[in-house]
Amino acid sequence: MPSSPERARLVGTGEIGTEFGIDPDLVSKYYADRDTTGFPEVAGTQGRKRLWEHGAVADWFALVGTAEIAAEFGVSTETVTHWYKHRDATGFPESVGSRGRGKARLWEHDAVAAWYAGQDETRLQQAGRAAGGDPDELLNATQAAHLLGYKNANQITTYLRDRPGYFPDPDVTEELGTPERPWIRRQWRRSTITAWAADRPGSGRRRGSAPPAPALPEVSPEGDPDELLTVDQAAALLGFKSATSFSSSLSQGNLPLLKETDGILPGARGRARQAWSRHRILEQAAQRSGRGRRTSSPPR
């Protein structure tokens, strides 16, 4: 593809996250797992910040794999494989490449979307349900991960730990084991997982809209200056529209006074959450607005 200033423009994780509707941390994970994901190599650096050519990143996002097609169109990965395997009969588009060590097939998203638009949606959805199984079937984390195209349950565990409210709560939660060795079994209905996959942030970028971010809490600047506040509370005090935009700005180094946390608080399901003191957040707010002078230097 011909080079242009726009394609050659260098972008970091924050800019990529904003444009394509995903968490900047997920961009870093795509890069860390590039042997599997095929994410582009770094084209440059700015300090410790990695930078990529915008064109290469845009090309990567324009290609979709089996799991992404299944998620967007609400069918199982088995159904997508069936469409491709029998493409002489179904007319499903040819693969245009592969990604990662496993050589997972890739398709142009626009070609798949155009093909799907010309099909009988009712028939396709019925085929998807037949291949995908009972929508009321209960799946554990490993089975849900497999349905979503993940290697194992680690991605779901990460969602539950680091992004409360992003991944759906289990439909069934059971406390099992013994008092000495308790454990919790979490299960989701197949329909819960497929509904989330179809509407999750990231897939929505190709449909022209993303689900609205959870509303931030109302947080007063008054109160104990040493009280620890979590990400969503800090985002609210600083005037961000969402916790994700706060995290993106933080990762880009735009909030130097909050580079280091002041503590850790228990979050949903007992998971640890980053926290900052109210007075530090307010100092950062004053610096952002220009109303106050910085009282401390950002960590180097």
Side-chain angles (χ1 to χ4, degrees):
M1 186 173 292
S3 180
S4 69
E6 176 62 16
R7 286 187 59 82
R9 177 168 61 91
L10 297 181
V11 291
T13 56
E15 295 97 325
I16 295 170
T18 298
E19 178 169 351
F20 296 101
I22 61 173
D23 192 303
D25 289 342
L26 193 53
V27 178
S28 297
K29 179 171 175 57
Y30 286 153
Y31 176 71
D33 297 337
R34 59 192 179 280
D35 285 345
T36 300
T37 65
F39 198 75
E41 289 290 342
V42 167
T45 58
Q46 185 179 53
R48 295 184 179 181
K49 179 181 178 181
R50 297 188 184 99
L51 299 171
W52 292 265
E53 286 191 356
H54 178 267
V57 174
D59 289 347
W60 186 84
F61 275 100
L63 299 180
V64 289
T66 301
E68 294 161 299
I69 295 170
E72 177 160 350
F73 297 106
V75 298
S76 69
T77 54
E78 290 86 354
T79 296
V80 178
T81 300
H82 174 83
W83 288 340
Y84 178 73
K85 183 177 180 180
H86 299 282
R87 58 192 179 279
D88 288 344
T90 64
F92 195 75
E94 286 289 343
S95 169
V96 296
S98 60
R99 175 182 295 165
R101 293 176 179 174
K103 299 299 181 183
R105 295 186 186 95
L106 294 173
W107 293 266
E108 290 183 350
H109 173 266
D110 289 348
V112 175
W115 172 84
Y116 190 89
Q119 307 303 307
D120 182 333
E121 186 168 350
T122 299
R123 177 177 60 80
L124 290 176
Q125 294 289 351
Q126 288 174 345
R129 286 194 290 271
D134 182 355
D136 291 325
E137 178 187 0
L138 290 174
L139 308 176
N140 60 28
T142 299
Q143 293 168 320
H146 177 73
L147 180 62
L148 292 168
Y150 302 141
K151 287 184 177 180
N152 51 50
N154 290 346
Q155 184 62 65
I156 292 177
T157 301
T158 299
Y159 286 153
L160 295 175
R161 182 187 66 228
D162 298 338
R163 305 184 66 184
Y166 176 74
F167 196 76
D169 289 330
D171 293 301
V172 176
T173 301
E174 298 177 277
E175 296 184 1
L176 303 173
T178 65
E180 293 77 21
R181 293 186 177 181
W183 63 282
I184 297 177
R185 179 166 64 189
R186 299 180 176 90
Q187 295 177 297
W188 294 260
R189 291 187 179 89
R190 182 183 292 271
S191 58
T192 299
I193 298 300
T194 55
W196 175 83
D199 294 328
R200 62 181 168 178
S203 63
R205 67 182 181 271
R206 297 189 177 102
R207 296 183 179 184
S209 63
L216 294 174
E218 292 187 9
V219 183
S220 171
E222 306 297 331
D224 182 355
D226 293 323
E227 179 185 1
L228 293 178
L229 305 178
T230 56
V231 168
D232 52 352
Q233 294 171 311
L237 269 185
L238 290 167
F240 285 95
K241 293 182 178 180
S242 69
T244 299
S245 59
F246 165 84
S247 298
S248 174
S249 187
L250 183 65
S251 69
Q252 294 178 61
N254 296 330
L255 305 172
L257 300 185
L258 303 183
K259 183 178 180 180
E260 301 293 336
T261 59
D262 291 317
I264 297 294
L265 293 176
R269 307 175 184 87
R271 308 294 185 178
R273 302 184 70 185
Q274 294 178 307
W276 298 264
S277 63
R278 187 191 303 272
H279 74 83
R280 276 226 293 155
I281 296 171
L282 292 176
E283 287 178 5
Q284 183 64 80
Q287 184 191 81
R288 275 168 53 84
S289 65
R291 289 194 301 267
R293 300 181 65 182
R294 189 168 60 200
T295 58
S296 61
S297 298
R300 293 185 179 181

